[in-house]
Amino acid sequence: MFTKSDPRVAEGFFEAEAAGLAWLADARGAPCVRVESVHPGIIELEELRPARPSREAASRFGEQLARTHHAGAAAFGAPPEGWTGPCFIGRRAMSTGEWATWSEFYPSQRVMPYAEQAVARGNLSADGFRLVKRACELIATGIFEDGEAPARLHGDLWSGNVLWTPTGVVLIDPAAHGGHRETDLAMLRLFGAPFLDDILWGYEDVAPLAEGWRERIPLHQLFPLAVHAVGHGPSYGAELERAAAAVLQLAAGSA
């Protein structure tokens, strides 16, 4: 058994993790680490044995992740079903609620709150913040709206939360919520993953992505970059600014 404990975490921190893992597991898609017990300040998880990544496991994970996303959510921004407590991305608070469209949810709830914190900490320049704000205002117009239903997201899908085991990939440490499925995939690409192309091929075998999804990667990377810009220094603020500029350029090209 693997135990994580910290008496200093926010109230509901590990309980939110357990709720997210249960909700993702209910999709019967990508396997999630099993929660043995959870209490304030402590969570006990099954012990996972590591294994070398493989193309076969990567492709299978892509198929499973597509099924997890397809299980859906009640709305954009919705928390795990049945969970009414706080939610988190890493150690940072993450808002939840119910928004009718991705365009009103994503910029206001997943980008701007963290961009504001990043500029307050000096990790995002004033010019960079103005660029991010312009990009968010543009997103809010619905220019990138594609009518997709809310997907069941892991929400923090970087390579460190994708564990390779003898039975395949197992997911840990979610920031689970309802969102756009391209956001999970963009985060996976941002921080890299073994055999990423095989993951994506497996994914598209089950759930083909809309045309132009690769060009929209910077759009969906605004969220993880903004979060990282808060606590990981100005280099992430600069990356956030570049992503915002790419979003504005993408919109100009589609006008």
Side-chain angles (χ1 to χ4, degrees), residues 173-187:
D173 292 351
H177 65 279
H180 198 296
R181 60 190 180 129
E182 290 180 16
T183 303
D184 259 359
L185 298 177
M187 191 178 297

Side-chain angles (χ1 to χ4, degrees), residues 139-226:
I139 297 166
T141 68
I143 190 172
F144 298 111
E145 197 64 57
D146 57 11
E148 285 214 2
R152 187 169 304 196
L153 299 190
H154 177 280
D156 194 6
L157 198 63
W158 71 290
S159 59
N161 289 338
V162 176
L163 300 190
W164 302 82
T165 78
T167 58
V169 164
V170 177
L171 300 180
I172 64 170
D173 292 351
H177 65 279
H180 198 296
R181 60 190 180 129
E182 290 180 16
T183 303
D184 259 359
L185 298 177
M187 191 178 297
L188 198 60
R189 179 172 286 277
L190 177 64
F191 297 109
F195 301 108
L196 180 57
D197 285 341
D198 294 275
I199 294 172
L200 294 171
W201 289 333
Y203 188 101
E204 292 215 83
D205 276 347
V206 173
L209 293 157
E211 184 179 354
W213 72 268
R214 292 180 186 275
E215 288 72 28
R216 290 189 296 275
I217 287 173
L219 168 67
H220 291 278
Q221 288 180 343
L222 291 174
F223 171 37
L225 286 172

Side-chain angles (χ1 to χ4, degrees), residues 15 23 29 51 53 67 87 91 120 131 159 181 252-253:
E15 293 88 342
W23 188 54
R67 294 188 182 99
C87 288
R91 295 293 181 104
L131 202 63
S159 59
R181 60 190 180 129

Side-chain angles (χ1 to χ4, degrees), residues 126-140:
D127 286 344
F129 179 74
R130 282 191 286 271
L131 202 63
V132 173
K133 187 176 180 182
R134 281 178 56 205
C136 284
E137 289 170 347
L138 184 67
I139 297 166

